[in-house]
Amino acid sequence: MANIRALPLTSLETTSLLFSKRVLFKNTSIISFTETHFLRQSVPTGITRSRTSRGSGSVSCSSVTDKASTLEDVCPEVRTLTWNWKGYSIRYQCAGTSGPALVLVHGFGANSDHWRKNTPILGKSYRVYSIDLIGYGYSDKPNPNEFGGEPFYTFETWGEQLNDFCIDVVKDEAFFICNSIGGLVGLQAAVSKPEICRGLMLINISLRMLHIKKQPLIGRPFIRSFQNLLRNTPVGKLFFKSIAKPETVRSILSQCYHDSSQVTDELVEAILRPGLEPGAVDVFLEFICYSGGPLPEDLLPLVKCPVLIAWGEKDPWEPIELGRAYGDFDAVEEFVVLPEAGHCPQDEKPEMVNPLIESFVARHSNSSAALAPGI
């Protein structure tokens, strides 16, 4: 089993990690670099891969093709639909009518629009679905206090949602293509119902440095008290209000993307609009206080399907030096480095990621058994 170690944390870092992956304290104000992901149009390009050590590789992009002007002509229409799941309205987008099914899973604070540069391109060859996990995007956001004190926004909940989506909407097995926290969702779903997942591609999967197991023993009681403060006093909502502003989101994006020139007004609005919907603040606070549940290293040994891990080498939140250890698990067939990419390569470098997805799916599209009868 791979050895996944935690980063050494100072007392300041322990406190700040409760808010986000990276937090800066400056003049007593807090700027949270949460996992937010944004959208831009993509242009398909070729890629080349060079092998490095066993189970590892790197990807570089070729020059942009001349097909950008005809992108709308060659890409299928992306439809936005809703699905009723346990009485909740779930928004999803889809493109393509043939080929294997792909389900794209966003990270914390994002939504299915995060895959806008991937869904139409991949839809030329596959049946592609991108889903808003419950609590995010334009899906319903039930109040977490309505569940009798039991955590609702967990990987078990989202994993069940993902599998039910494949049963009810996709009506087929699927490849799960996941970014960041979405990678834990995909792993949980694949472990819970292995007959549904044909393969997993994990793009900069979260190391979950907020997890209680990765915090110093001496600081754990303080962490729990601080989480209670966020959940049950006005402090949490004041914090959310302080970051739910265009200028703060712009600062967050400038840290998230290695190429900060991609931070546009359009992208800022794309994340702010669903983030300001009723109930979003409660979901936000619930999840940043969620320090339990599975870690990637807990789930990877249980996965039965092939796994490919891709990692933007310039990720400021999930260091690639720690992420490489995930490549040692038996289910992981390859660890691919994405040069000059940050935490969300599928959005920042779709010309690298889209062909990587296509090659992974092509390798395994004939290797999966059919779903059980009735699914």
Side-chain angles (χ1 to χ4, degrees):
M1 180 179 294
N3 179 25
I4 307 295
R5 63 179 180 86
L7 287 169
L9 298 175
T10 65
S11 59
L12 175 61
E13 288 169 329
T14 299
T15 302
S16 62
L17 274 171
L18 289 166
F19 288 109
S20 62
K21 296 298 180 219
R22 294 289 183 271
V23 179
L24 297 182
F25 286 80
K26 183 177 182 181
N27 298 329
T28 72
S29 65
I30 303 172
I31 299 177
S32 170
F33 298 118
T34 51
E35 293 176 53
T36 48
H37 316 294
F38 303 87
L39 329 164
R40 295 182 64 192
Q41 291 292 340
S42 87
V43 176
T45 66
I47 63 170
T48 59
R49 175 191 282 135
S50 60
R51 296 291 296 182
T52 56
S53 60
R54 176 186 175 275
S56 179
S58 62
V59 169
S60 60
C61 60
S62 66
S63 60
V64 176
T65 69
D66 294 328
K67 296 181 180 180
S69 61
T70 60
L71 185 59
E72 293 182 357
D73 296 330
V74 299
C75 291
E77 176 191 6
V78 177
R79 296 177 296 152
T80 299
L81 302 167
T82 58
W83 163 55
N84 186 297
W85 183 61
K86 298 186 175 184
Y88 300 112
S89 177
I90 303 298
R91 177 237 203 178
Y92 69 95
Q93 299 183 63
C94 58
T97 59
S98 62
L102 279 58
V103 180
L104 315 182
V105 187
H106 63 79
F108 173 57
N111 57 73
S112 59
D113 289 334
H114 185 204
W115 300 95
R116 190 174 69 182
K117 294 187 290 187
N118 315 101
T119 302
I121 305 300
L122 297 171
K124 292 185 291 183
S125 302
Y126 308 108
R127 292 172 291 140
V128 184
Y129 303 83
S130 55
I131 186 171
D132 287 7
L133 297 173
I134 190 166
Y136 292 107
Y138 297 96
S139 289
D140 281 350
K141 300 168 179 62
N143 191 314
N145 297 322
E146 297 175 356
F147 298 92
E150 292 297 319
F152 178 72
Y153 292 104
T154 66
F155 297 113
E156 289 79 10
T157 297
W158 289 315
E160 182 182 6
Q161 178 190 355
L162 190 57
N163 282 329
D164 287 349
F165 181 76
C166 289
I167 294 169
D168 294 347
V169 178
V170 181
K171 300 184 184 301
D172 200 356
E173 303 163 309
F175 290 89
F176 298 157
I177 314 298
C178 316
N179 175 235
S180 192
I181 284 294
L184 272 296
V185 177
L187 281 170
Q188 182 65 60
V191 169
S192 299
K193 287 187 179 294
E195 69 272 17
I196 289 179
C197 184
R198 302 182 69 174
L200 269 169
M201 183 168 167
L202 308 175
I203 304 171
N204 288 64
I205 187 172
S206 172
L207 295 163
R208 293 213 67 199
M209 298 308 296
L210 292 169
H211 199 283
I212 195 69
K213 291 181 180 178
K214 295 189 175 182
Q215 306 306 318
L217 285 173
I218 193 172
R220 292 181 186 181
F222 170 76
I223 290 171
R224 293 189 179 95
S225 297
F226 198 68
Q227 290 173 331
N228 183 65
L229 179 71
L230 288 178
R231 277 198 184 110
N232 301 317
T233 74
V235 171
K237 291 187 178 181
L238 287 172
F239 168 68
F240 181 81
K241 184 178 179 180
S242 74
I243 66 170
K245 299 177 180 179
E247 60 271 21
T248 308
V249 172
R250 187 175 298 277
S251 178
I252 291 169
L253 284 168
S254 296
Q255 295 293 322
C256 173
Y257 285 83
H258 179 61
D259 180 7
S260 60
S261 69
Q262 297 191 39
V263 180
T264 65
D265 292 341
E266 179 188 5
L267 304 187
V268 171
E269 182 181 2
I271 193 65
L272 273 180
R273 183 175 295 176
L276 294 177
E277 286 202 332
V281 59
D282 296 309
V283 178
F284 173 83
L285 294 174
E286 181 76 5
F287 188 76
I288 65 172
C289 294
Y290 175 46
S291 55
L295 293 163
E297 51 265 38
D298 298 329
L299 296 173
L300 277 168
L302 306 177
V303 173
K304 304 300 183 184
C305 64
V307 178
L308 185 147
I309 296 178
W311 214 284
E313 67 170 349
K314 302 295 186 179
D315 189 337
W317 295 338
E318 312 289 355
I320 193 171
E321 292 78 12
L322 297 181
R324 286 182 188 276
Y326 292 140
D328 295 335
F329 286 90
D330 290 342
V332 179
E333 63 178 27
E334 193 172 10
F335 186 99
V336 178
V337 178
L338 303 173
E340 303 301 311
H343 185 62
C344 309
Q346 79 278 12
D347 185 51
E348 186 178 4
K349 297 286 186 180
E351 69 275 13
M352 291 185 184
V353 173
N354 287 336
L356 189 62
I357 294 171
E358 291 171 346
S359 66
F360 176 67
V361 173
R363 281 202 304 276
H364 299 288
S365 58
N366 296 318
S367 62
S368 182
L371 281 174
I375 295 182

